[in-house]
Structures are given as structure tokens and as C-alpha cells.
Amino acid sequence: MDYFCADIETSGPAPGLHSLLSVGITHVRRHEGDYRLFGDFYLELRPTFPRYSDAAMAIHGLDAERLKREGVPPKDALHRITQWVRAQQKSPKERPVFVAHNAPFDWMFLVYYYEWFEEENPFGHSAIDTKALAMGMLSIPWNQTSLRQVATHFPQIPARDLSKLHHAGADARYQADVFAAMMNRRTEISARRP
């Protein structure tokens, strides 16, 4: 199974009113018994919708005017994402799985964009939310499922580069580290069961 850990940055909280501005994806799959990270993908998009939340723009620091000039047109960006995902897949017969930390947010923007621009969504209609996965796997309450808090349960995860916080590519890679660690622990627990 091929998993694609994704992170996005936007101009605000609502697709259709706010724009998808950047997408980062890291490919994770099982290899020689362990879940491992493979390729990375990143791009920045030309804004589509007119609204900008000052709070959202301050978080990621992307420059809307620069993106209007240099961002990838959204339809082309979606096509590139799909092509990259398809090229990474170990088996084209299996549907790739979308994974994100707080997947409802990242997922709703990508689904909306794929529908709005009439591009084929390679992930279908479902996703894995690593916050919910951590809640069940680690038996922790929802308010302890921030990415930072979940990562403390896995000392093997490399320290996060805080200078790249809210860069969709760097965040996707870090989320993939956490997801792979959770999946490897799940495999270890399953192997110990009689």
C-alpha cells in the first residue's frame, strides 16, 4: 500500500472562498518489513479565490503577490500532483492513500480543488487522519494529539527543524516521519499477538 502524507498552506479556512497556496507530499510505504519514507513533492500555486485571512497568511509567510506572478496555475498543479503520485506507486492496481495530520482540513481543500478544476483525484474519497490514528493507537485524548505531542511518543523521530515550520514540504516530511513511526509500532504490536 502506498501512503502519501500531505500538508497544505492556504489563504484562509474555507475552500471556495480561500485559496490553496502550497502543497507538500511525502511518499511512505512498507519496504523490507518497515514503513519508510521515499520521495517528496512540493509546489506553490497561483491563488484562485479572492479572500485572504491575515492570520493564515502570517502563519506560513507566503507572499500572495509573488504567487500571483510565479505560482503554478491550479489545474496544472493538480495534474502534476496526480502524475507524481501515480509515478511513485508500487502497484498501479492499488489506490494511493491520502494521509495528513488533521486530514479534514487538508483533505477538504484538495477535494474541492480537484472537483472545481475537473481533474481526477488520485486518492478517491477517503483519507487517514493521523490525529485520530494517534488517539486510538496511543490511547491519548484529542487535546494531546498535536503533531509535537504525538512525536514525543517516538524518540526515534529526528528533531523538527523549527525554521521550516509551516512550509508544506517540510511539514509533510515531518508528518511522514510520525506516520511511519506509528505504522511501525502497529506492526510490532501485531507481531507480538498470539
Side-chain angles (χ1 to χ4, degrees):
M1 185 73 63
D2 290 283
Y3 299 94
F4 293 88
C5 294
D7 187 72
I8 65 167
E9 297 300 336
T10 70
S11 67
L17 299 174
H18 300 100
S19 298
L20 177 61
L21 299 179
S22 66
V23 177
I25 305 173
T26 296
H27 179 208
V28 176
R29 74 168 183 255
R30 196 165 181 185
H31 179 74
E32 297 180 357
D34 291 324
Y35 286 88
R36 299 183 187 179
L37 281 59
F38 290 89
D40 296 305
F41 178 91
Y42 177 78
L43 56 70
E44 296 177 350
L45 293 82
R46 186 175 299 159
T48 303
F49 300 103
R51 292 194 187 175
Y52 294 88
S53 156
D54 290 340
M57 298 302 286
I59 286 172
H60 52 67
L62 293 168
D63 182 282
E65 293 306 313
R66 181 184 65 79
L67 292 176
K68 287 175 186 176
R69 294 187 312 271
E70 301 172 10
V72 177
K75 189 170 179 68
D76 183 35
L78 296 169
H79 182 73
R80 288 187 199 183
I81 292 168
T82 300
Q83 293 301 104
W84 182 82
V85 166
R86 297 273 188 241
Q88 306 311 303
Q89 286 183 262
K90 187 175 183 179
S91 170
K93 293 179 183 178
E94 290 187 12
R95 186 175 51 145
V97 179
F98 181 94
V99 180
H101 199 76
N102 194 22
F105 180 79
D106 302 75
W107 180 243
M108 73 175 174
F109 265 92
L110 277 176
V111 168
Y112 186 92
Y113 264 64
Y114 272 108
E115 288 297 317
W116 181 263
F117 289 101
E118 298 180 339
E119 282 289 318
E120 178 192 1
N121 179 349
F123 304 109
H125 65 278
S126 61
I128 294 175
D129 176 31
T130 53
K131 288 175 71 72
L133 182 63
M135 189 178 173
M137 175 180 282
L138 302 172
S139 297
I140 57 176
W142 184 255
N143 64 358
Q144 292 177 18
T145 60
S146 73
L147 194 57
R148 180 187 54 76
Q149 289 170 308
V150 172
T152 64
H153 293 266
F154 303 96
Q156 72 273 27
I157 294 174
R160 191 171 193 182
D161 181 351
L162 297 179
S163 71
K164 295 181 180 174
L165 197 62
H166 297 294
H167 178 282
D171 287 353
R173 183 95 184 159
Y174 190 73
Q175 289 175 36
D177 278 325
V178 173
F179 175 69
M182 283 196 285
M183 294 298 282
N184 285 328
R185 181 171 294 176
R186 184 178 138 279
T187 301
E188 291 167 12
I189 292 167
S190 295
R192 289 197 297 261
R193 290 185 182 143

